[in-house]
Amino acid sequence: MKHIIPYIAILLLATVIIYSNAEKERTRITERCQDTFSHAIRTEKKLLIKQFCMQYRQENSPNSLSVEDKKDWYDQNYLIATSPSRHQLDSLFRDGAHKINRNISTAIGYTFNGKNFFSGDESCRKSVIPVQECVYRKDTISTTDIVLQAYIHIPFYVPLQNTYTYAVVFMASVALAICFLYTRRRKKNMTGIPLQELPETGNRTTDNARWIIISKEVWWDEKNHIIKKGETSMILTGESLKFFKLFLENKSFFLSYKTIYESYGLKDEAPEFKDRIYQSIKLLRKDLIGFGITIRSVRGRGYELIFQ
């Protein structure tokens, strides 16, 4: 067994590195597909909506939704009425995804007026993963919402097709060859030498949670990314975790647009990130409902956390 352990260690290390890199590549592909879907939505509107005339009176609109949100809803309502299959959007999204990788399969869907549409084969619906969801509202009644969804299927071999994977395989092969030659050469010299046993150590469990109070009843464990209020707790992940930590960095829990774009490595506002930021804030707002926390949009400035 002592001769097999080095081979197992090399193979395990190579497998972990390749798997980790594949997951990063899969995440990168997914994020690029999110941006591609947002771009496809904007392009579809430019192609199919040449002119838009609207009369709007704030006094006739008792809800707090902005004019832009309502206009986006009417745009999507018109596009669904014109083409219930959303063929143009489906084609634009597929073409954009194929520019990332030709082996990626795509589909779109939407929910409106109790109807659920899916552009792909229903038999393949379980194999695709949702990468983006855009919600359009004209009022506070959720039954009138228009929800667009983007789906992709990434074959398992796609994230592995990169020079990094090939380099790891090559280095692992060289390491195995060196290990084989070394153990073969040293085998006779090691004969008869007793092995020393290492002292046994007992297992020890500790509570590694470090809670800080961010409001009167809400606690936050930054190390494990857990938010807690009473018996209710949740682990924040992905974009929700990113934006929540950005809020906490400001003592007044205010997050400016400038800070958001700087977190993406941008100096100025980028239109292609607008939908992505909006959806990320919306997802975080949904996650924080059960903790008595809301996110208020400050027009032209950014967002603010409000504790009830």
Side-chain angles (χ1 to χ4, degrees):
M1 288 298 297
K2 66 180 180 180
H3 299 298
I4 299 176
I5 289 176
Y7 298 98
I8 297 177
I10 293 172
L11 291 175
L12 285 177
L13 180 61
T15 301
V16 169
I17 294 175
I18 292 174
Y19 177 80
S20 177
N21 178 68
E23 288 300 306
K24 290 180 180 179
E25 182 67 16
R26 186 181 297 274
T27 300
R28 187 186 69 84
I29 292 174
T30 301
E31 290 179 348
R32 290 187 62 186
C33 286
Q34 291 175 349
D35 297 335
T36 298
F37 185 62
S38 298
H39 179 72
I41 292 175
R42 295 193 300 271
T43 304
E44 181 195 33
K45 289 198 294 185
K46 291 180 181 179
L47 292 175
L48 301 183
I49 301 178
K50 302 298 183 181
Q51 185 176 7
F52 187 91
C53 299
M54 177 179 66
Q55 291 183 345
Y56 180 79
R57 292 184 178 180
Q58 180 65 38
E59 62 270 15
N60 295 331
S61 179
N63 58 63
S64 60
L65 295 177
S66 66
V67 179
E68 291 79 6
D69 289 340
K70 295 175 182 178
K71 179 184 177 301
D72 289 340
W73 184 94
Y74 280 102
D75 288 341
Q76 295 302 320
N77 183 36
Y78 169 77
L79 293 171
I80 291 175
T82 304
S83 176
S85 64
R86 300 301 291 270
H87 173 74
Q88 187 74 46
L89 179 61
D90 193 18
S91 298
L92 290 169
F93 180 47
R94 180 173 58 253
D95 293 342
H98 285 176
K99 291 179 181 179
I100 301 173
N101 191 289
R102 295 291 302 178
N103 297 310
I104 298 176
S105 302
T106 65
I108 66 167
Y110 66 81
T111 302
F112 182 47
N113 281 340
K115 177 182 178 181
N116 294 310
F117 172 78
F118 181 72
S119 65
D121 189 347
E122 286 294 332
S123 61
C124 302
R125 193 162 189 170
K126 293 182 179 180
S127 63
V128 297
I129 58 174
V131 297
Q132 182 75 299
E133 181 177 278
C134 300
V135 181
Y136 300 91
R137 310 188 70 187
K138 69 170 183 176
D139 51 42
T140 56
I141 303 175
S142 60
T143 55
T144 62
D145 291 353
I146 298 176
V147 184
L148 293 183
Q149 301 105 359
Y151 303 91
I152 62 172
H153 172 67
I154 306 175
F156 75 94
Y157 56 84
V158 169
L160 299 175
Q161 295 176 333
N162 56 75
T163 55
Y164 189 84
T165 300
Y166 302 146
V168 172
V169 172
F170 174 76
M171 289 188 292
S173 301
V174 172
L176 288 172
I178 294 174
C179 187
F180 173 77
L181 295 175
Y182 178 79
T183 53
R184 185 177 181 182
R185 187 174 181 179
R186 297 285 298 175
K187 186 175 181 181
K188 292 183 179 180
N189 298 331
M190 294 295 294
T191 303
I193 300 178
L195 296 177
Q196 296 180 353
E197 295 184 359
L198 295 176
E200 296 183 357
T201 57
N203 295 328
R204 181 169 57 91
T205 58
T206 58
D207 182 9
N208 60 355
R210 295 183 178 180
W211 298 99
I212 60 173
I213 303 175
I214 57 177
S215 74
K216 184 177 181 181
E217 299 177 344
V218 181
W219 295 62
W220 171 245
D221 177 10
E222 184 176 4
K223 182 176 181 180
N224 299 300
H225 309 150
I226 301 174
I227 185 171
K228 179 180 179 181
K229 180 181 181 182
E231 298 298 324
T232 304
S233 64
M234 174 184 288
I235 300 177
L236 297 181
T237 59
E239 293 286 283
S240 292
L241 173 62
K242 172 183 177 179
F243 279 83
F244 187 73
K245 293 176 72 173
L246 288 175
F247 274 114
L248 296 184
E249 289 176 1
N250 191 300
K251 293 183 179 180
S252 60
F253 303 110
F254 179 78
L255 180 57
S256 66
Y257 288 122
K258 180 181 178 181
T259 302
I260 294 175
Y261 285 108
E262 286 178 350
S263 70
Y264 287 102
L266 303 173
K267 294 182 179 180
D268 301 313
E269 180 177 348
E272 61 270 21
F273 279 82
K274 182 179 179 182
D275 288 337
R276 180 175 174 181
I277 294 171
Y278 175 82
Q279 296 301 325
S280 298
I281 290 292
K282 181 177 179 181
L283 179 61
L284 177 59
R285 182 184 287 120
K286 182 179 179 181
D287 291 338
L288 298 179
I289 288 178
F291 300 91
I293 304 175
T294 59
I295 300 178
R296 183 173 67 91
S297 176
V298 181
R299 190 176 185 87
R301 294 182 57 201
Y303 301 91
E304 181 181 13
L305 281 184
I306 304 297
F307 296 90
Q308 296 179 1

